Amino acid sequence: MEAAANSRNFPLPVRAIIFDLDGTLLDTLPDLARAANLMLADLGLPAIDGLQVRAYIGDGAVRLVKRALTNDRDREPDTVLFDRAMPIFNRYYGEGVARETRVYPGVIKGLDAFRARGFPLACITNKPAKFTLPLLAQTGLAEYFELVVSGDFLPRKKPDPMPVTYACGFFAARPEHVVLIGDSGNDRESAHAAGCPALGVTYGYIPGGDVRSLGFDAIVDSIDDAVALVRPF
């Protein structure tokens, strides 16, 4: 574990724990890249490699498709092209949402340990529910979560604090007693804006830099390592 310069006092007193999905619990890159490149092929556009797709993950399927079409994180594609592309991507991804996706090492052990200590668990992702729920079910993770907040569940998604604030209310817990574990700046920003501590994992999808530069309260190498950083409140 690595604590930030302005570190909190660990172990944190916690009532509930929130997890990001892509890049934190699951390595979804192979299936996202496959769907994106099948979409591009159908549209007569050049393929993009896995490293490019990795840099485009984290803001939901719509942003991923736009980035795949433009091969740029911020540029907007032609509207007509995007309207053609989105249902193609949805079809391909939906057909194989967990074909090559894998649970990261340490995740099951960590989730079992958190649950054994009595922590209620939530998953908050920007991925739409039509992908999130089958993905959790097919990878065996659905049983762990009392709450799943997908990207289309609320009017706003990460990095907005709304999903995290919703989870705090669901668990009837003050924000300072709910910790979020994620891999991106969106996760940290959403948690801190809601008033929650945030832990970052070292192995996720981090566009443009190291997770240590993103302002997390502590950094862990696996979900299992995070168990020692919290205690029941």
Side-chain angles (χ1 to χ4, degrees):
M1 183 271 283
E2 300 175 29
N6 56 342
S7 63
R8 300 173 186 256
N9 293 321
F10 294 95
L12 301 172
V14 168
R15 288 197 183 276
I17 300 172
I18 297 168
F19 296 88
D20 172 52
L21 185 61
D22 297 62
T24 301
L25 298 175
L26 297 175
D27 182 5
T28 55
L29 177 60
D31 290 317
L32 289 168
R34 175 186 50 78
N37 279 317
L38 287 171
M39 173 198 74
L40 292 171
D42 279 10
L43 296 171
L45 297 173
I48 55 178
D49 65 34
L51 288 177
Q52 291 169 299
V53 177
R54 182 187 181 99
Y56 296 160
I57 297 172
D59 296 305
V62 169
R63 289 306 313 166
L64 173 59
V65 168
K66 288 183 175 183
R67 289 163 177 168
L69 292 173
T70 61
N71 204 8
D72 186 278
R73 281 189 61 84
D74 302 311
R75 190 156 54 91
E76 288 290 316
D78 175 79
T79 302
V80 173
L81 178 62
F82 172 76
D83 288 344
R84 289 178 58 202
M86 196 72 226
I88 298 173
F89 173 85
N90 286 342
R91 174 166 56 85
Y92 282 126
Y93 190 50
E95 289 172 354
V97 70
R99 186 175 300 173
E100 297 180 69
T101 288
R102 296 292 180 266
V103 180
Y104 282 112
V107 166
I108 297 297
K109 185 178 179 182
L111 293 177
D112 283 337
F114 282 125
R115 190 163 62 174
R117 297 180 68 188
F119 294 111
L121 309 179
C123 177
I124 295 180
T125 175
N126 285 345
K127 189 185 294 290
K130 64 185 176 183
F131 301 139
T132 300
L133 300 181
L135 189 55
L136 289 172
Q138 292 176 41
T139 56
L141 297 185
E143 65 175 282
Y144 288 97
F145 300 108
E146 294 185 26
L147 173 67
V148 175
V149 179
S150 300
D152 48 3
F153 183 76
L154 296 168
R156 296 191 291 278
K157 57 189 178 182
K158 297 181 294 185
D160 192 276
M162 181 180 284
V164 178
T165 299
Y166 178 89
C168 293
F170 180 88
F171 292 122
R174 294 177 60 86
E176 60 266 30
H177 299 142
V178 177
V179 65
L180 184 147
I181 302 176
D183 71 305
S184 72
N186 279 351
D187 296 318
R188 193 275 309 158
E189 185 176 342
S190 182
H192 283 179
C196 299
L199 310 181
V201 298
T202 55
Y203 52 77
Y205 308 139
I206 310 156
D210 191 292
V211 68
R212 294 166 183 80
S213 68
L214 299 181
F216 282 100
D217 297 295
I219 304 298
V220 294
D221 291 326
S222 76
I223 298 300
D224 184 37
D225 290 342
V227 176
L229 300 185
V230 299
R231 60 178 175 83
F233 177 73

